[in-house]
Amino acid sequence: MSELLEKTCTACVAGAPLATEVEIATFSPQIPEWKIEEMDGIKCLIRVYAFDNFVQALAMTNKVGALAEEVGHHPALMTEWGRLTVSWWTHKIKGLHVNDFVMAAKTDALYQAG
Amino acid sequence: MSELLEKTCTACVAGAPLATEVEIATFSPQIPEWKIEEMDGIKCLIRVYAFDNFVQALAMTNKVGALAEEVGHHPALMTEWGRLTVSWWTHKIKGLHVNDFVMAAKTDALYQAG
């Protein structure tokens, strides 16, 4: 089990620290399928999951949605035919918190569980 | 009931006609909340629906997903906290078919039904 999966995502508050360069360098290799991209100057973690059809993509949307609701931290979920694009970032601090790496790892675990 | 809601969306095939300027001018006023935007040169219909939380947004995602699956024509659904952005276009013809206006009207009807 990766170090990230052992962590708990705690809902973030304004003023919480952005992930440091060292944290990003430590955790990124644990979620190798995720890319860090900037949207309007805000860094986020993005991964595209591929599926055989729309229903499977939507099922994964619901799994990630349930996880998000459980921890009170919500991603952007772009559901399309055969594809789900998940983006994690922390709205309150306009960037990446360690929580986001935790959630990315948990999203991968949901996908692998099928 | 709008004229669009009386139509049936038929799954589109390559070679089907793009909506004409006249059709676009006729149907757009029936779905006034939708904007026509271009993504990579492909026109699509886009509307953002607002909700009070994530769960409500995801519930609407599932309603639109069920409708899409029923007719075999699938949108892009961006689910976020308090917001769902729906995009309809016809992949096979790389643009807007009359079907897409029909689906936009049906999506509005789902939203209004609550």
Side-chain angles (χ1 to χ4, degrees):
Chain A
M1 186 189 266
S2 82
E3 190 184 342
L4 284 173
L5 282 178
E6 293 166 10
K7 290 183 183 289
T8 303
C9 170
T10 51
C12 206
V13 293
L18 287 164
T20 64
E21 289 298 319
V22 170
E23 286 170 331
I24 290 174
T26 304
F27 294 134
S28 292
Q30 296 183 34
I31 50 166
E33 303 290 337
W34 293 77
K35 288 184 180 163
I36 295 178
E37 291 189 9
E38 288 209 8
M39 295 188 306
D40 302 327
I42 296 173
K43 277 187 184 152
C44 62
L45 287 167
I46 295 189
R47 178 173 174 183
V48 179
Y49 295 94
F51 298 93
D52 290 336
N53 53 44
F54 183 79
V55 169
Q56 287 179 14
L58 185 56
M60 180 68 180
T61 300
N62 280 296
K63 286 180 194 172
V64 183
L67 170 66
E69 195 59 19
E70 192 182 304
V71 299
H73 186 51
H74 300 89
L77 299 169
M78 175 65 98
T79 313
E80 297 169 271
W81 193 96
R83 190 160 68 164
L84 171 64
T85 306
V86 181
S87 308
W88 287 106
W89 76 101
T90 300
H91 312 244
K92 291 254 175 71
I93 59 173
K94 295 184 177 171
L96 291 173
H97 186 277
V98 171
N99 279 344
D100 295 303
F101 290 86
V102 173
M103 295 309 294
K106 287 182 188 285
T107 309
D108 280 350
L110 279 180
Y111 181 67
Q112 281 150 21
Chain B
M1 186 189 266
S2 82
E3 189 184 343
L4 283 172
L5 283 177
E6 292 167 11
K7 291 183 181 291
T8 304
C9 171
T10 50
C12 207
V13 294
L18 286 164
T20 65
E21 289 298 318
V22 170
E23 286 170 331
I24 290 175
T26 303
F27 295 135
S28 292
Q30 295 184 32
I31 49 166
E33 304 289 337
W34 293 76
K35 289 185 178 161
I36 296 178
E37 290 189 9
E38 288 209 9
M39 293 188 306
D40 302 327
I42 296 173
K43 278 188 183 147
C44 61
L45 286 167
I46 294 189
R47 177 173 175 184
V48 179
Y49 295 95
F51 298 93
D52 290 337
N53 53 45
F54 183 79
V55 168
Q56 287 178 15
L58 185 56
M60 180 68 179
T61 301
N62 280 295
K63 285 180 193 171
V64 183
L67 171 66
E69 194 60 17
E70 193 181 304
V71 298
H73 185 50
H74 299 88
L77 300 169
M78 174 66 98
T79 313
E80 297 169 270
W81 192 96
R83 188 161 69 164
L84 172 64
T85 307
V86 181
S87 308
W88 287 106
W89 77 100
T90 299
H91 311 244
K92 292 253 175 70
I93 61 174
K94 296 184 178 171
L96 291 173
H97 187 275
V98 171
N99 279 343
D100 296 303
F101 290 85
V102 173
M103 295 310 293
K106 288 182 188 284
T107 309
D108 281 349
L110 280 180
Y111 181 67
Q112 281 149 20

